[in-house]
Structures are given as structure tokens and as C-alpha cells.
Amino acid sequence: MSVNRAVLPAPLYTADQTRSLDRIAIEEFGIPGIRLMQRAGHAVFAEIMERFPGLKAITILSGAGNNGGDGFIVALLARQKGIKVQLVCVGQDNFADKLQGEAKQAWQLLSEIDGSYEIYAPGITMNGELIVDALLGTGLSGSVRGDFKNAINQINELSRPVVAVDIPSGICADSGKVLGVAVYADITISFIGLNRGLLTGAAVDYCGLLLFDDLKVPSEVYLQVPTKVHRTSEKELVRFFPRRDRSSHKGKHGHLLVVGGNLGMGGAALLASEAGIRSGAGLVSLATRAEHVAASLSRSPK
């Protein structure tokens, strides 16, 4: 079944609420955690294949948490597809021994195919045509430090497309604040619950194209985690604008007078006038200095 991940849901959740959604889906609806992780990995890989169909080499940076587990699934799928995968793990040399829960299960699945990986070191060569950021998930609260900080800075220095898993590493899932440093992603794919921090604060400059996949979590799960924060859609906004008759003319929809534009600052008043027209005013008049009239007429002759 095709999923339109470009359609974002209205409810927005905190990181804790999203974890509750995840827990309820696992404990009360019997969906294994590894199954959700596999679905997340498949969603990321599907988007990569659709948007970068000629991809031959990929670099995946993973941490030791569930965000890294999603990255392991992406690595598994890419290797099965014959794509050259450079898996870079941030952590100690015994990285694999530190894994727990679903991340460990995902690692075991990857190891059955090819568990080769590199431990991150500052300045490591990242060979992929595309970078997958699976370093830090929505649970991050303190400032990014150590090799995670180094890895993020190095990713941002590359002139290659970046796909972030769930959230760009370094972004606070609740506020959108940059926690020291953060990955500049070209595409971010969020799962199960859309975090409010992805649409607020500085995050809007880091997420790139924001996509969403509910991972087939039943709608009943969401009923158990109410939220008071919702994203307003264009369809909802339309109802606040009265419908205009086909016979309408400029005299029926208000007359806005903009007074402004001192010497050398005529552009400000002109921009305000254009904003009035775009916002729905029927007629806009501009009162400004004589020196600005010629420029105003050449830009907006009507």
C-alpha cells in the first residue's frame, strides 16, 4: 500500500507523549518494537529510493539508541539492494556490545547479512553520495558533546544530501531549539507522533522537507494520548475567509490606506501595500513622498 508521507497530521506531540504512543502500541496492541523499527527503516529507505533512484553508495551514521536501530535497518535494506553502505557508529570500540532492546535486535538482523561498520573518528572520510543521520533521536535533552558534536559538524560541512531519521540530530523535539549543534537535513522523516519541536523554533531551518509515517499504528492508540497542540492546515484556514461573489469588485472588500516611506525608505511602504493586497484588501492606497511615486508605479502600476 502506498503511503503519502507528505501529508502531515494535525496533532503535535511532545517527546514523552510520542514515547507513550510507542509504548501503548507495543504493550497494549501487541505490535513488537522491532516491527515498528523495521517499518521505520523501510519508510526511510523507500523515500531514499524514490527520491534518489540512481544511488550507488550511502553513508549511515548511527548512535546506540533506537534512532541508531532505525539506521541499522536502513543499512540492511541498502545492502540487500546492492548499494554500497558505509555504516559509521559513534561510540566505543565495543559499540555492538553496548546495544540493547530493539536496537540490538536490529543489529542482529543486519549482522546476518553484513555487520561491517566503522567507529567514528574526527575527520573520517564519508564516502556516500547521501548521508543518513540516525545519531540522536527525540530523547535528547542536553547539549550535544564529544564525537556526536564532531560528527554533526562534519556532516554539515559536506555538500551532500542528508536524510534525518525521526528528527535532525541536535534538535529538541519539544521546543525546536538547537542543543549546541544540529544536523542540517534536506529531508526529515518523523514517525508515529509528529513532534511539535519539528515545526517550531530553529528546527524549521534544519528539517528541510518534513515527512511523516504513522507506521500503521492503530488509530485507537492516539485516543489514549490526548494533546492540546495542533497544526493548522490550509483547509481549516479557508473557513475564516468569507466567500466572495463572482460579481465582487474592489469597492466591496475594504479600502486600506498605507502612509509611510520616509526619504530613502520608500520600499517599506510599498511592501506593506502589496501585503495588504495579498491579504485580501479590495483597494489599497499608498500615501508616500513624491520621490517614491515613480518607483512605486513601476513596481505596482495598478
Side-chain angles (χ1 to χ4, degrees), residues 266-287:
L270 181 56
L271 289 173
S273 301
E274 292 178 339
I277 289 291
R278 293 176 182 274
S279 299
L283 176 64
V284 176
S285 297
L286 171 61

Side-chain angles (χ1 to χ4, degrees), residues 25-38:
I26 294 171
E27 296 179 1
E28 299 185 26
F29 287 79
I31 305 175
I34 185 61
R35 182 68 56 82
L36 293 174
M37 185 170 286
Q38 287 175 308

Side-chain angles (χ1 to χ4, degrees), residues 87-233:
L87 178 60
V88 180
C89 299
V90 178
Q92 301 173 346
D93 290 338
N94 57 345
F95 176 88
D97 296 332
K98 300 293 184 180
L99 298 173
Q100 298 179 352
E102 287 84 10
K104 183 174 182 179
Q105 290 178 269
W107 179 266
Q108 291 169 341
L109 292 172
L110 173 61
S111 298
E112 293 176 3
I113 302 296
D114 180 357
S116 59
Y117 68 99
E118 303 173 50
I119 291 294
Y120 176 80
I124 190 173
T125 300
M126 298 184 187
N127 302 314
E129 304 164 30
L130 177 143
I131 308 297
V132 173
D133 164 29
L135 288 169
L136 300 167
T138 59
L140 182 66
S141 57
S143 295
V144 180
R145 296 184 176 86
D147 279 339
F148 285 99
K149 180 178 180 179
N150 295 330
I152 290 172
N153 284 330
Q154 190 170 343
I155 290 171
N156 289 340
E157 291 172 359
L158 299 173
S159 56
R160 276 168 261 178
V162 178
V163 176
V165 178
D166 215 12
I167 191 170
S169 291
I171 293 292
C172 175
D174 292 345
S175 68
K177 179 182 178 180
V178 176
L179 299 174
V181 296
V183 169
Y184 280 102
D186 296 280
I187 300 172
T188 298
I189 308 178
S190 178
F191 309 113
I192 301 182
L194 187 62
N195 290 121
R196 61 182 65 173
L198 292 171
L199 297 167
T200 55
V204 296
D205 296 323
Y206 287 79
C207 289
L209 175 63
L210 182 58
L211 305 174
F212 175 80
D213 195 310
D214 63 10
L215 306 185
K216 300 179 182 178
V217 168
S219 58
E220 293 82 0
V221 172
Y222 297 93
L223 297 177
Q224 298 190 43
V225 186
T227 177
K228 296 181 179 179
V229 181
H230 291 77
R231 185 182 63 86
T232 304
S233 67

